[in-house]
Amino acid sequence: MDWTNGFIEIDGASLEYACFGAAPGDAPTLVMLHEGLGSVAQWRDLPQQLADRTGFGVLAYSRAGYGQSSAAALPRPLDYQTREAVDVLGPLLDAAGVQDCVLLGHSDGATIAAIYAGSVSDMRVRGLILIAPHFFTEAGGLAAIAATKTAYETGDLKQKLAKYHARPDNAYYGWHDIWTHPDYAAWNVADCIDHWRIPVLAVQGTDDPYGTMAQIDEIDGRIYSPLETLVLDGVGHAPHREATEQTVAAITEFCARLKRMEEAEVELA
């Protein structure tokens, strides 16, 4: 896998990826996992900003069904986020030659990162950055997702998504239909928090229509490792776009602290 951009075959899917900054072996890697309707392109210039500010390399990829990646099989299974964590993320890190990394996820991507850190023994993962994570469903969030169907089928949401996704129907219905499935209301993966043993930065907007501070409170009540939180008043579901400087500054400082911790451990050894 070239440390530039292109496609890679993982778990039977062709996944688009893009890399920024230092290659693995030269610096730690920030691995970016996008939201439920996201893709590589929808991170905009954030990967480059983070590479410049942190000195880390950055790897972003589009999951199957998103961006320019191959289609996902629909309907998605109820445990699709766990399957993504267990079946795809580890092999992707292997293929990229990642040696030390921080997983940075937004929304669904944050949940996938959280599940990976709590269920896979991978010493390469040194920290988690979770932006608007989901560990369980909330009635308000489910209602907000259900309400997007009108915007997609009669409004301009499909046109907007088509700018970024080769198969907008595959992306949208793969996300919408599983979250609005009657059985999905009972979905809960919060037990992954119990198994984290690495530092965590959690970022949440107070006006997020898809999730409340209950998600962050769940982390705080269960975590055994260091936790930092950035709570942004008046900010919605995308703090990295709505409060970019505050979010990037918090990520940069978190990564700097991790690096200092790693260097101190080396010196003590």
Side-chain angles (χ1 to χ4, degrees):
M1 176 175 171
D2 293 331
W3 192 253
T4 52
N5 58 72
F7 292 84
I8 187 167
E9 299 292 322
I10 302 289
D11 194 36
S14 178
L15 305 181
E16 72 163 331
Y17 72 90
C19 303
F20 306 81
D26 296 330
T29 305
L30 271 173
V31 180
M32 301 183 71
L33 296 96
H34 62 75
E35 64 183 306
L37 290 177
S39 66
V40 168
Q42 285 161 272
W43 286 116
R44 302 177 188 174
D45 65 346
L46 184 62
Q48 188 63 61
Q49 282 194 58
L50 293 175
D52 293 342
R53 296 272 291 267
T54 65
F56 285 25
V58 176
L59 167 64
Y61 76 101
S62 297
R63 298 189 294 276
Y66 298 104
Q68 305 308 308
S69 295
S70 57
L74 301 183
R76 291 185 181 275
L78 295 178
D79 63 346
Y80 77 98
Q81 293 177 92
T82 297
R83 295 190 189 197
E84 182 75 22
V86 174
D87 298 336
V88 178
L89 184 52
L92 182 78
L93 299 180
D94 294 340
V98 169
Q99 299 180 26
D100 295 288
C101 68
V102 174
L103 302 180
L104 186 163
H106 173 220
S107 192
D108 276 18
T111 303
I112 292 164
I115 294 170
Y116 188 82
S119 61
V120 178
S121 179
D122 189 341
M123 295 300 292
R124 293 173 296 186
V125 180
R126 314 303 288 182
L128 286 176
I129 300 169
L130 307 177
I131 303 173
H134 305 294
F135 299 100
F136 49 84
T137 60
E138 297 182 72
L142 295 178
I145 292 170
T148 65
K149 191 171 185 179
T150 299
Y152 188 79
E153 294 183 344
T154 65
D156 63 355
L157 180 56
K158 182 173 182 176
Q159 181 181 359
K160 289 179 178 178
L161 291 179
K163 296 177 182 178
Y164 300 104
H165 302 282
R167 303 166 186 84
D169 284 353
N170 194 248
Y172 177 77
Y173 289 111
W175 168 77
H176 171 275
D177 290 357
I178 190 61
W179 276 90
T180 57
H181 189 287
D183 294 339
Y184 204 69
W187 172 82
N188 189 313
V189 295
D191 60 349
C192 72
I193 301 168
D194 302 337
H195 302 283
W196 296 344
R197 295 297 183 270
I198 52 177
V200 177
L201 169 64
V203 182
Q204 180 69 40
T206 62
D207 289 358
D208 185 347
Y210 299 110
T212 70
M213 285 296 297
Q215 307 290 335
I216 307 304
D217 292 341
E218 188 76 13
I219 300 175
D220 193 36
R222 303 181 74 137
I223 196 168
Y224 289 93
S225 53
L227 171 66
E228 301 173 34
T229 59
L230 174 63
V231 177
L232 296 163
D233 290 336
V235 170
H237 190 57
H240 54 292
R241 292 195 289 269
E242 300 170 53
T244 301
E245 180 52 36
Q246 289 168 278
T247 304
V248 170
I251 293 170
T252 300
E253 182 53 34
F254 179 77
C255 290
R257 278 195 293 274
L258 283 179
K259 186 176 181 181
R260 290 195 296 268
M261 289 169 60
E262 295 288 333
E263 291 172 347
E265 288 176 6
V266 170
E267 290 171 2
L268 289 172

